Amino acid sequence: MTLPSDLEIAREAAPEPVARIAERIGIGAELVEPYGDGVAKIRLGALDPAGPLGSRPRAKYVVVTAVTPTPLGEGKTTVTVGLGDGLNRIGRSTAVAIRQPSMGPVFGIKGGAAGGGYSQVVPMERLNLHLTGDIHAVGAANNLLAALLDNHLFRGNPLDIDTDTVSLRRALDINDRALRTIDTAVGPASEGEQRRTGFDITAASEVMALLALARSLPDLRERLGRIIVAEDRAGRPVTAEALGAAGAMAAVLREAAKPNLMQTLEHTPALVHTGPFGNIATGNSSVIADLIGLRAAEFLVTEAGFGADMGAERFFNIKCRVSGEAPDAAVVVATVRALKAHSGRYTVTAGRPLPDEMLKENPEDVRVGGANLLKQIENCRLHGVTPVVAVNAFPTDHASEIEAVRDLAAEAGVRSAVCTNVADGGEGARDLAAAVAEAAEEPSHYAPLYPLDASLKEKVETVARAVYGASGVSYSERAERQLRSCERNGLGTLPVCIAKTHLSLSSDPALRGAPTGWTLPVREVRPSAGAGFVYLICGSMQTMPGLGRTPAALGIDLDDQGRITGMY
Amino acid sequence: MTLPSDLEIAREAAPEPVARIAERIGIGAELVEPYGDGVAKIRLGALDPAGPLGSRPRAKYVVVTAVTPTPLGEGKTTVTVGLGDGLNRIGRSTAVAIRQPSMGPVFGIKGGAAGGGYSQVVPMERLNLHLTGDIHAVGAANNLLAALLDNHLFRGNPLDIDTDTVSLRRALDINDRALRTIDTAVGPASEGEQRRTGFDITAASEVMALLALARSLPDLRERLGRIIVAEDRAGRPVTAEALGAAGAMAAVLREAAKPNLMQTLEHTPALVHTGPFGNIATGNSSVIADLIGLRAAEFLVTEAGFGADMGAERFFNIKCRVSGEAPDAAVVVATVRALKAHSGRYTVTAGRPLPDEMLKENPEDVRVGGANLLKQIENCRLHGVTPVVAVNAFPTDHASEIEAVRDLAAEAGVRSAVCTNVADGGEGARDLAAAVAEAAEEPSHYAPLYPLDASLKEKVETVARAVYGASGVSYSERAERQLRSCERNGLGTLPVCIAKTHLSLSSDPALRGAPTGWTLPVREVRPSAGAGFVYLICGSMQTMPGLGRTPAALGIDLDDQGRITGMY
């Protein structure tokens, strides 16, 4: 089977006017701001309980998660899109919610991130480049805060900030390793005092995490004020509010707070909004987009990053707690190749084709690696949510291997379906759609895994043991100190976001399947007081990617009709 | 006279749907892409000679320039807007073209830049913040080039770039002095080799200058390829094309190449596009916007930055040469306060009120300072263009002083009119509109001041003597060397852009009026091969502003209805 390229497929699409897409889910013209070809923003009046959407019934809320992925990804976005299209095909009005891809990786390794094959969000060129500028706005708000902070230091430092404690970094939506660690103001004294800092990719900034978790514009404004940028010399947190920056930051983000509306190739409405990192942040699209989507269609399918131990865990324990919305079903995407990799017998590397050995028929490997699937199924059930397994079929899969995945699901008492939507569009996700519709009819017993009044350590311990399968948690001295400081500063009642590798249920990317008998090592603890969580760093987290030997940018150009080429 | 604040006035505006604004100047729905409330982009099909605008008669082309301004500015944008409104009021269909303001200074000293009083472009909040994201796109394209350059060095430097010659800097739309000079990659070796560089405000980047001078998307693509980022170790220029970056940069800029359409408070169409710096670049809005505007209305009023020696000189010798369009009239904005300041008897400081002494009735000071006005009038005539003096009246002006300005114009044989449009809207610019309409009927004898095949030194000499009133030009050794290098690299046939202070006709900001007997000192010469000019640095140019003691950002916020406050 050879599919045309994503770009070729996307170009042949016949998108509907985006206002008609909105209308189909009850979002009238008064709530829609067209924003260039094929894209609109939805006004925040859509959140108003007294507004046109306020009295509508709430949609069924479906989160799409996955087994622990290989570095190639398991097609969670394509399944999200395919499921949306499939539900619409079986007559259930559905919208999907996805994150806005970062532009940095588009020019790095990925070349694009809008789904794939016949399960794409269009126009893909706009989704991959700027869209409506929200990510740039997030960067601008973050960098305005940084400039105001450095200006505060330059102007005599009236807040008595301890410059050694400055945690705020600058942000750009780019892959640029040279900016990871920089010294600023190394010129004449008129530039201020030299300081060591760096840039993160904008998706890794707290402002992005915060925008994704805000419930409304006033809530956004308050959260911005709570961002902690440093400590003063007495050890007290210094906030964006104290610097006087939060109001201007909110002004910078006013348009970015409105979700973007696009469509799939089959005209399913796609809410695209925010793109927080999946390790140090939630890896989920925005609360605002979901709150609107839940009042619009009959089903809202939303995607959570990485495996169920990562994005879905934060979905259950952070995002849903903020939104107050309970999910009705969780789709766990599994692939034959991922489960084979979880057998521990193969190595899969990003940017390289699968090893030949792995393409041979071997259902036994699937069963061995299936331990990971079973754990991720359990991770949904732990939060009271009914899982459905989606087997995302690849042309290289063997029938016996796909059957092995379905057998695992059946043994766990879970519905399953095979998806061929990348090749077949929504038609290839009809079975999944039917299974999800059924599962969502079961009563939801959703509940977060831990109470907020537990100590931060108790929260970490709970997630580590119950979700990751760890036998315990260890803390560096620094982490212990930082934990105490968080509790002292009144941040002990926040949920936790554990930043570990996404390539293993454990904190060691080399451990496949569902490893047990290991200890989670917490190296550092940092407050994201504005976003509303404390994050714990377990392992080394790269917050500014670099470019590879042959960046995708080198192959991207315009053709003689001004169309973008080389993006896939 | 107390006017309501700009923001209050803007909020009371009743803007028309932007599609109707477009239609009024013959730009049909097929050429308009709505981009959020009150803003649209115009598709580049509007440039097509075979398209809907191709067969329309060409508008009269009016450039608005000024006397040498005080640090407070003389209201060139308000006169541009007022003149547009005034021409429409006297029944001449008119569009205006202005630059997009940088966001950096909005949070620094200015708080906003959308005109003022009853001569504003709306919605002012969007004009001041992001608009449609073009400036961010320019920064992203620039920074992609920088990341690809550093990655090239990191990957073994196959082009044999001499790292000491890297001239490309990174860009952000912010006022942030700490970023003026930075050391990158100061962390572990995996980040690459430490290098000294810095950030400019995006308006100062060559990509911005280039976007403003591109005639079409293919022309933009070619210009991007010609950007010189460094030299190799043999002294040959290394371009963005050689780095393989230009195609991806063009993709990043595809939407930004389309001009933005907004409106004045009186519904005059306003083309807002690009915002290159006025010292090291052209300080004019885009060629593309003007080419479209010239096929749309009966009059196109476009603004050139700073005094007639600065923006208008580049308009005549760079921009019009690129566009192939000849201006029909030049409006020279003069204020009583500027001419008084040019008497040399007062000091005007940015961010401070005028000295009390200066508010006293003193037409004699106006006449003394009037030497500056006479020289700037001559600077228009030097290029064969008929000047019209617009006296931008302030409430503190005395009638005798305004009369003194008009007398100066009359003595020079130039039409003049008093403008009160800031207080009165377009009605206050009716006289100016009538004078301009008359002047534009005279045959244009427009011609650039120098031929392109003159040497770079001859070009500089010509501008310095004829336009600035210098008695000669001196070159540093470095500048001499750089000049030879430019000529050797085939850049000798480019026009010149002389970066000097905008606060004097001379290169010394302290010299008022129309100083003579001085020498222009060229310190450095740099190619903007992509933009298409060579720029010569005379004095110290600040390409990254800083924030003041009390940045405007501290006063900006959202109110409880989500509206922006504190922007003026």
Side-chain angles (χ1 to χ4, degrees):
Chain A
M1 182 187 72
T2 335
L3 279 182
S5 80
D6 290 357
L7 188 59
E8 284 165 341
I9 292 173
R11 281 225 187 118
E12 277 161 32
E16 284 188 3
V18 72
R20 197 181 308 159
I21 298 289
E23 211 183 297
R24 192 174 321 131
I25 49 170
I27 300 179
E30 75 285 2
L31 290 174
V32 175
E33 275 182 66
Y35 245 86
D37 281 340
V39 182
K41 275 189 173 285
I42 301 177
R43 290 182 211 280
L44 297 186
L47 292 168
D48 186 356
L53 297 188
S55 55
R56 299 190 51 181
R58 180 185 172 282
K60 292 289 182 185
Y61 196 17
V62 179
V63 61
V64 177
T65 178
V67 299
T68 300
T70 67
L72 307 178
E74 306 321 311
K76 209 157 52 276
T77 305
T78 60
V79 171
T80 303
V81 169
L83 175 57
D85 291 339
L87 281 162
N88 275 314
R89 278 179 186 246
I90 65 169
R92 312 299 294 263
S93 153
T94 301
V96 302
I98 62 169
R99 285 170 289 168
Q100 182 185 349
S102 280
M103 202 165 65
V106 168
F107 294 114
I109 201 166
K110 285 162 79 174
Y118 288 95
S119 291
Q120 287 188 61
V121 172
V122 289
M124 70 99 91
E125 301 95 322
R126 290 202 59 205
L127 182 62
N128 284 322
L129 301 176
H130 314 302
L131 191 52
T132 56
D134 296 346
I135 297 183
H136 294 313
V138 168
N142 177 90
N143 296 336
L144 175 60
L145 177 57
L148 288 165
L149 169 62
D150 268 318
N151 193 56
H152 184 92
L153 298 174
F154 183 72
R155 302 283 171 190
N157 191 11
L159 289 172
D160 199 29
I161 292 169
D162 177 353
T163 52
D164 290 339
T165 65
V166 173
S167 50
L168 180 73
R169 290 157 57 84
R170 288 176 174 81
L172 269 180
D173 185 10
I174 197 163
N175 284 17
D176 190 345
R177 75 172 61 69
L179 293 177
R180 280 178 195 156
T181 320
I182 67 171
D183 286 336
T184 54
V186 297
S190 60
E191 293 175 0
E193 215 163 296
Q194 184 171 335
R195 200 163 69 71
R196 179 144 301 184
T197 179
F199 278 79
D200 292 329
I201 190 164
T202 306
S205 67
E206 180 172 357
V207 178
M208 179 62 90
L210 183 162
L211 182 62
L213 286 168
R215 286 182 309 267
S216 65
L217 212 49
D219 184 41
L220 172 69
R221 169 66 184 79
E222 275 176 40
R223 285 170 188 267
L224 288 167
R226 291 200 291 265
I227 293 176
I228 297 172
V229 298
E231 288 177 6
D232 66 13
R233 276 187 256 261
R236 288 166 307 206
V238 176
T239 62
E241 197 66 57
L243 282 169
M249 292 171 75
V252 168
L253 291 170
R254 199 175 64 133
E255 299 297 312
K258 303 173 190 165
N260 304 289
L261 181 65
M262 302 180 72
Q263 63 189 291
T264 71
L265 292 172
E266 301 185 6
H267 313 142
T268 296
L271 295 159
V272 183
H273 200 212
T274 75
F277 245 37
N279 45 31
I280 61 163
T282 52
N284 280 260
S285 75
S286 83
V287 165
I288 288 177
D290 282 9
L291 288 175
I292 292 174
L294 283 170
R295 292 291 166 197
E298 224 182 313
F299 279 81
L300 177 69
V301 180
T302 195
E303 185 193 352
F306 299 143
D309 55 318
M310 301 289 291
E313 186 272 312
R314 285 96 182 255
F315 176 80
F316 296 134
N317 292 306
I318 303 178
K319 185 178 177 183
C320 289
R321 207 168 335 221
V322 167
S323 68
E325 297 289 346
D328 298 290
V331 173
V332 182
V333 177
T335 59
V336 163
R337 72 182 187 191
L339 295 189
K340 278 174 147 178
H342 278 296
S343 72
R345 294 182 187 139
Y346 311 96
T347 309
V348 178
T349 311
R352 301 242 184 97
L354 290 181
D356 279 349
E357 191 61 21
M358 221 173 138
L359 300 176
K360 292 189 186 150
E361 180 167 1
N362 194 335
E364 180 50 27
D365 279 356
V366 174
R367 266 186 290 272
V368 174
N372 186 275
L373 173 60
L374 296 175
K375 182 70 189 93
Q376 300 290 28
I377 287 172
E378 185 184 82
N379 286 342
C380 299
R381 285 177 163 159
L382 278 174
H383 297 87
V385 179
T386 307
V388 175
V389 170
V391 190
N392 185 22
F394 280 67
T396 48
D397 294 346
H398 300 273
S400 65
E401 297 171 333
I402 289 180
E403 216 37 57
V405 186
R406 299 202 63 188
D407 287 348
L408 287 160
E411 285 160 29
V414 170
R415 291 177 185 86
S416 72
V418 178
C419 300
T420 60
N421 49 285
V422 171
D424 302 329
E427 200 57 34
R430 256 183 189 270
D431 292 350
L432 178 64
V436 166
E438 244 182 57
E441 285 307 321
E442 295 181 6
S444 173
H445 301 289
Y446 160 75
L449 198 59
Y450 51 78
L452 289 181
D453 57 8
S455 73
L456 289 172
K457 278 197 172 179
E458 283 165 344
K459 292 171 194 170
V460 177
E461 193 92 11
T462 301
V463 173
R465 289 179 183 270
V467 177
Y468 302 163
S471 28
V473 183
S474 70
Y475 295 88
S476 72
E477 233 175 86
R478 186 177 182 194
E480 292 274 7
R481 204 172 53 240
Q482 291 166 326
L483 265 179
R484 284 194 298 273
S485 155
C486 282
E487 308 253 10
R488 197 172 54 237
N489 290 327
L491 306 176
T493 55
L494 293 178
V496 294
C497 180
I498 302 174
K500 66 166 188 69
T501 180
H502 62 282
L503 295 172
S504 172
L505 271 160
S506 78
S507 56
D508 177 354
L511 299 184
R512 310 255 58 90
T516 52
W518 56 277
T519 299
L520 181 76
V522 178
R523 195 164 55 84
E524 261 192 83
V525 179
R526 296 192 197 158
S528 270
F533 54 77
V534 171
Y535 69 97
L536 302 98
I537 300 177
C538 311
S540 66
M541 295 297 126
Q542 185 53 264
T543 51
M544 171 53 92
L547 290 169
R549 185 159 289 280
T550 311
L554 305 186
I556 293 175
D557 211 328
L558 296 181
D559 67 14
D560 53 12
Q561 291 166 68
R563 298 179 310 184
I564 293 172
T565 56
M567 192 170 279
Y568 47 90
Chain B
M1 181 188 72
T2 333
L3 279 181
S5 81
D6 290 356
L7 188 60
E8 284 165 340
I9 291 173
R11 280 222 188 120
E12 277 161 33
E16 284 187 4
V18 72
R20 197 181 308 160
I21 298 290
E23 211 183 296
R24 192 177 319 132
I25 50 171
I27 299 180
E30 74 286 2
L31 290 174
V32 175
E33 275 181 69
Y35 245 87
D37 280 342
V39 182
K41 275 191 173 282
I42 301 176
R43 291 182 210 278
L44 297 186
L47 293 167
D48 185 357
L53 297 187
S55 55
R56 300 189 51 181
R58 180 185 171 284
K60 293 289 183 187
Y61 196 17
V62 180
V63 61
V64 178
T65 177
V67 299
T68 299
T70 68
L72 306 179
E74 306 321 312
K76 209 157 49 281
T77 305
T78 60
V79 172
T80 302
V81 168
L83 174 56
D85 292 341
L87 281 162
N88 276 314
R89 277 180 187 246
I90 65 170
R92 313 299 295 263
S93 154
T94 300
V96 302
I98 62 168
R99 285 170 290 168
Q100 182 186 348
S102 281
M103 203 165 65
V106 167
F107 294 114
I109 201 164
K110 286 162 79 174
Y118 288 95
S119 292
Q120 287 189 61
V121 173
V122 288
M124 69 99 92
E125 301 95 321
R126 289 204 58 204
L127 182 62
N128 284 323
L129 300 175
H130 314 302
L131 193 50
T132 57
D134 296 347
I135 297 183
H136 293 313
V138 167
N142 177 91
N143 296 336
L144 175 59
L145 177 57
L148 287 166
L149 169 62
D150 268 318
N151 193 55
H152 184 92
L153 298 174
F154 182 72
R155 302 285 172 188
N157 192 11
L159 289 172
D160 199 30
I161 292 168
D162 178 353
T163 52
D164 290 340
T165 66
V166 174
S167 50
L168 180 74
R169 288 158 57 85
R170 288 175 174 80
L172 269 180
D173 185 11
I174 197 162
N175 284 17
D176 189 346
R177 77 172 59 72
L179 292 179
R180 278 177 196 158
T181 319
I182 67 170
D183 286 336
T184 55
V186 298
S190 59
E191 293 175 0
E193 216 163 296
Q194 183 170 335
R195 201 163 70 69
R196 179 145 300 184
T197 179
F199 278 78
D200 292 330
I201 190 164
T202 306
S205 68
E206 181 173 355
V207 178
M208 179 62 92
L210 182 163
L211 181 62
L213 287 169
R215 288 182 307 267
S216 63
L217 211 48
D219 185 40
L220 171 68
R221 169 65 185 78
E222 276 176 38
R223 285 169 188 268
L224 288 167
R226 291 200 290 267
I227 294 176
I228 297 171
V229 298
E231 289 176 6
D232 67 14
R233 274 187 257 262
R236 288 167 307 206
V238 176
T239 63
E241 195 67 56
L243 282 170
M249 293 171 75
V252 168
L253 291 170
R254 199 175 64 133
E255 298 297 312
K258 303 172 190 166
N260 305 290
L261 181 65
M262 302 180 72
Q263 62 190 291
T264 70
L265 291 172
E266 301 185 7
H267 313 143
T268 296
L271 295 158
V272 183
H273 199 213
T274 75
F277 246 36
N279 46 29
I280 62 162
T282 52
N284 280 260
S285 74
S286 82
V287 165
I288 288 177
D290 281 11
L291 289 176
I292 293 174
L294 284 169
R295 293 291 167 196
E298 225 182 314
F299 279 80
L300 178 69
V301 180
T302 195
E303 185 193 353
F306 298 143
D309 55 319
M310 300 291 290
E313 186 273 311
R314 286 97 182 255
F315 176 79
F316 296 133
N317 292 306
I318 303 178
K319 185 180 178 183
C320 289
R321 201 158 352 210
V322 167
S323 69
E325 298 289 346
D328 297 290
V331 174
V332 182
V333 177
T335 59
V336 162
R337 73 181 186 191
L339 296 187
K340 278 174 147 178
H342 278 296
S343 73
R345 293 182 187 140
Y346 311 96
T347 307
V348 178
T349 310
R352 301 241 184 97
L354 290 179
D356 280 348
E357 191 62 22
M358 219 173 140
L359 300 177
K360 291 189 187 150
E361 179 166 3
N362 195 334
E364 180 50 26
D365 279 355
V366 174
R367 268 186 288 274
V368 173
N372 185 275
L373 172 61
L374 296 175
K375 182 68 189 97
Q376 301 289 29
I377 287 172
E378 186 185 80
N379 286 343
C380 301
R381 285 176 162 160
L382 277 175
H383 296 89
V385 178
T386 309
V388 176
V389 170
V391 190
N392 185 23
F394 280 67
T396 48
D397 295 346
H398 299 272
S400 66
E401 297 171 332
I402 288 181
E403 218 37 59
V405 186
R406 299 203 62 187
D407 288 348
L408 285 161
E411 285 158 28
V414 169
R415 292 177 185 86
S416 73
V418 178
C419 300
T420 60
N421 49 284
V422 170
D424 303 330
E427 200 57 35
R430 256 183 188 270
D431 293 350
L432 177 64
V436 167
E438 244 181 56
E441 286 306 321
E442 295 182 5
S444 172
H445 301 290
Y446 160 74
L449 198 59
Y450 50 79
L452 289 181
D453 58 8
S455 72
L456 290 172
K457 277 196 171 178
E458 284 166 345
K459 292 171 195 170
V460 177
E461 194 92 11
T462 302
V463 174
R465 287 179 185 271
V467 177
Y468 302 164
S471 26
V473 183
S474 70
Y475 294 88
S476 72
E477 232 174 86
R478 185 179 183 193
E480 292 275 7
R481 204 171 55 241
Q482 290 166 325
L483 265 180
R484 283 194 299 273
S485 155
C486 282
E487 307 253 10
R488 197 171 54 237
N489 291 326
L491 306 176
T493 55
L494 293 177
V496 294
C497 181
I498 302 173
K500 66 165 188 68
T501 178
H502 63 280
L503 295 172
S504 172
L505 272 160
S506 78
S507 56
D508 177 354
L511 300 183
R512 310 256 58 90
T516 53
W518 56 278
T519 300
L520 181 75
V522 179
R523 195 164 54 84
E524 261 192 83
V525 179
R526 296 192 196 158
S528 270
F533 54 77
V534 170
Y535 70 97
L536 302 99
I537 300 177
C538 310
S540 65
M541 294 298 125
Q542 186 51 267
T543 51
M544 172 53 92
L547 291 169
R549 185 159 291 279
T550 310
L554 304 186
I556 294 175
D557 212 329
L558 297 181
D559 67 14
D560 53 11
Q561 290 166 68
R563 298 179 310 184
I564 293 172
T565 56
M567 192 170 280
Y568 47 89

